[in-house]
Amino acid sequence: MKAAIYSRKSKFTGKGESVENQIELCKSYAKNNGYDDIYIYEDEGFSGGNINRPEFKSMMKDAAAKKFDAIICYRLDRISRNVSDFSTLIDELKVLGIDFISIREQFDTSSPMGTAMMFISSVFAQLERETIAERIKDNMYELAKTGRWLGGTPPFGFSSEPIYYLDSNSKQKKMMKLSPINEEISLVKLFFEQYLTLGSLGKLQKYLIQNDIKTKRNSPWDIKALQLLLRNPVYVKSSELVISYLSIKGATVFGDPNGNGILSYNKKDSKDKYKDISEWILSVSKHEGVIDDNLWIKVQRQLDKNKDLAPRLVNGSEYGVFNSVLHCAKCGGKMIQKQGHVSRKTGEILRYYICINKINPSDNTCDSKNIRLDKLEKSVMKELFKATDNKGSLIKAIEEYKKSLESEAVDKSSIKSYEKQIYQKELQVKNLIDKLSLNPNIYDLLSSRIEELNKEIKELKFKKFELENTNNNLKAAIKEINASTSMLLNFKKLWENADYSMKKLLINSFVDYISYNSDTQEVVIKPFCTNKKKGAL
């Protein structure tokens, strides 16, 4: 068999395991485990914070060409210190049929222990994403209240462009704002007017199909996209009337109404579910509104009226635990639960998962067959129970991961060093200001130095904050891992005794997506950022 040995060290120092030692230990392991041909890839002087390393890229290129059967490294963090990068790598290697082995942690994806670690790492990869998002959330929220565009895909009808201004220190700053695309804005106005005329989203959708009016991607408009567009306050000319309407709904709008549009943030939670409107951040924007306030509010009331009258596709609140993660393998569309006929044998109502693109009249390309809800859920849960059954391996994998996190904690002496430097520089600033108070004529002489010191203090405070934040995030991560551990170790028992909402929580906590192919009856389960588990009904 053939193996690739990968080694990395971030600095050319004498501390820790050298690249040479890592390679020798890996060679010894390879020899003792039947690997005869060895390829060696060495990255020295590169951080493990990302996978942008020359030899690593070369190794992955050779992996795609299937030049070897396994990748061996001395320790997991030699590959990456970023859990999601690591999980993505394992996912790629599984597709290529290449094993991954870490000799320090005794982690081998061809063994049951490896399978357990894959499932565990899925939870941790999701945790890392959420932790990073939390780190910047507060700052983003404060910026949102100023009405600036914070990035992302601009809504239909707009592009984003920079505007420049001078801050309180007369320094040039840049912020983004939405700029109208005239051709698309004309369509937006048409959508609002036609919706009121026709009276429903379904009729508006048919009107657009008949008139060959498509999205930016040249595809037919679906009902959900039309609903989101008509609900979006980004288009309305802000006024006291609009602010009052939104306030009655429970929203708080920052800024004074002036005819500009209204931006909305913080609308969804980490599970992509809409939050209550009272938690949204709404702010009068920098761009001009394009829909009159009366027309916009009439459309909202019509949408509300139709929502109350519309029949529910998903019948009952106790069914369809996979609604948020199940996809059709044939077209990629979501599959949702729908009530079927009454069984002649049992007298019970049969329920099915159906591809949403079979329901939308705008897309007749999917001919996927429906799947009985009970059969699909039985097949999926069998695989998930199997993945969480090896408790010894799960516990060992969790403890190893917690140790690796704890090893990344920042030493308190580093934080104290920054505190000392900050104190010294603040003292220097105070002394210089005292001198200025005694002799204002030396302002020109000292002002640049004071400004320089303040800049250095700001940089030191930020570095200190980053270190403190790292430790806080590690503590939070370990706390979350402990909570997830209990859920994982008792997954089957929790499931068997869970009500509908608890089952949905368990699925949404560990599963990224599930796909079903009606032609082959193959079910693919993908935990967050990990290898796929396949099964057939």
Side-chain angles (χ1 to χ4, degrees), residues 29 33 56 66 110 134 138 160 173 218 256 316 320 402 481 499:
Y29 177 92
N33 285 273
F56 181 86
K66 298 188 177 180
S110 64
E134 190 70 27
D138 292 341
S160 60
K173 297 285 185 179
N218 199 36
D256 299 320
K402 283 167 66 175
I481 290 166
D499 59 12

Side-chain angles (χ1 to χ4, degrees), residues 289-390:
V290 295
I291 301 297
D292 289 335
D293 53 359
N294 278 306
L295 173 58
W296 190 81
I297 289 175
K298 285 179 182 178
V299 166
Q300 305 315 302
R301 288 175 176 159
Q302 183 67 35
L303 286 166
D304 290 340
K305 180 182 176 182
N306 289 349
K307 181 181 178 182
D308 293 336
L309 296 174
R312 297 292 181 263
L313 179 64
V314 179
N315 297 290
S317 60
E318 298 288 319
Y319 305 96
V321 292
F322 299 148
N323 279 335
S324 59
V325 295
L326 182 61
H327 295 264
C328 171
K330 297 189 74 174
C331 71
K334 275 202 167 188
M335 297 187 74
I336 56 177
Q337 183 266 141
K338 186 180 181 182
Q339 180 175 306
H341 61 279
V342 176
S343 171
R344 292 179 181 178
K345 291 183 178 180
T346 64
E348 295 180 350
I349 295 173
L350 297 178
R351 297 179 183 275
Y352 296 83
Y353 283 110
I354 179 173
C355 177
I356 199 166
N357 287 329
K358 290 179 66 177
I359 303 166
N360 283 338
S362 62
D363 190 349
N364 298 315
T365 58
C366 188
D367 59 355
S368 175
K369 297 175 185 176
N370 302 344
I371 172 67
R372 279 260 300 269
L373 180 146
D374 56 337
K375 288 185 177 181
L376 180 70
E377 292 187 357
K378 182 179 179 180
S379 174
V380 170
M381 295 317 301
K382 181 180 178 182
E383 292 293 334
L384 291 179
F385 291 154
K386 191 187 300 181
T388 57
D389 190 49
N390 192 335

